[in-house]
Amino acid sequence: MSRLLYVEGTVDRTCTQSHITYSFHIPQPTDTIRILFSYTPKLLEDQEQAREIIEESMSKYGYDEPGHSPDLWKKYMPLQNLLTLSVDDPLRHRGNAHRPEMQQEHWLGSSTASPGFLAGDNPAGMWRITVSLHAVVTETLVYQIHVLGEEATYA
């Protein structure tokens, strides 16, 4: 098993609805690509900050019209961070992981792949992995991506 990429990053609320792309090189075709992805924290624990963010969004998208309950914002609690991954090999898009879990493990192999990804050969060349920051609601958020290459074992 070889390490192909390891990155850590810290983002804040200004990064919401943006993308961060990393490139990594695979020197020779690899049987399986494993991706370990994690981020923390998941929830915005401060209710007052959550209320402000939700009410601002409700105003922006027209949910604050007269007649709505002043406690309508509570319907959208708890407020959560949401980051997702997408992967491209040197030749094509291999898929996306749109999952809410803070710790995720994905794999891409020649005959199987994690849900959301395409199975197929893992060619040598420059690969890309993109973190989509759909929602960063906490002051800061820390993430890690660890990409490993596994060669086939033959008996």
Side-chain angles (χ1 to χ4, degrees):
M1 185 177 331
S2 60
R3 177 186 280 188
L4 301 170
L5 174 72
Y6 179 77
V7 294
E8 294 180 3
T10 302
V11 294
D12 62 28
R13 289 181 184 154
T14 64
C15 299
T16 292
Q17 298 183 348
S18 67
H19 308 277
I20 301 171
T21 300
Y22 296 97
S23 297
F24 58 96
H25 185 257
I26 295 181
Q28 60 188 17
T30 302
D31 188 55
T32 302
I33 304 291
R34 290 204 177 279
I35 302 167
L36 308 173
F37 174 58
S38 63
Y39 63 92
T40 190
K42 181 65 180 171
L43 302 176
L44 175 58
E45 301 290 343
D46 185 319
Q47 269 211 342
E48 184 56 28
Q49 287 183 358
R51 184 190 59 75
E52 290 174 13
I53 292 170
I54 292 169
E55 287 182 345
E56 181 181 319
S57 294
M58 290 173 64
S59 177
K60 180 177 180 180
Y61 296 108
Y63 287 86
D64 63 345
E65 295 176 8
H68 284 140
S69 163
D71 290 335
L72 182 61
W73 67 274
K74 292 179 181 176
K75 173 182 174 184
Y76 302 101
M77 292 291 288
L79 209 50
Q80 305 178 44
N81 290 317
L82 177 62
L83 278 62
T84 63
L85 290 181
S86 61
V87 177
D88 297 279
D89 72 18
L91 305 173
R92 63 186 174 147
H93 181 66
R94 293 295 292 271
N96 306 295
H98 287 260
R99 295 171 181 65
E101 292 86 14
M102 294 171 44
Q103 298 202 5
Q104 304 174 22
E105 180 174 352
H106 310 286
W107 71 92
L108 297 98
S110 59
S111 59
T112 64
S114 313
F117 293 97
L118 298 172
D121 292 336
N122 293 321
M126 195 60 80
W127 286 58
R128 290 181 300 148
I129 190 164
T130 299
V131 180
S132 294
L133 306 156
H134 298 281
V136 179
V137 295
T138 52
E139 294 286 331
T140 60
L141 176 151
V142 177
Y143 65 89
Q144 297 178 332
I145 304 170
H146 200 171
V147 180
L148 304 167
E150 295 179 5
E151 296 301 319
T153 54
Y154 301 99

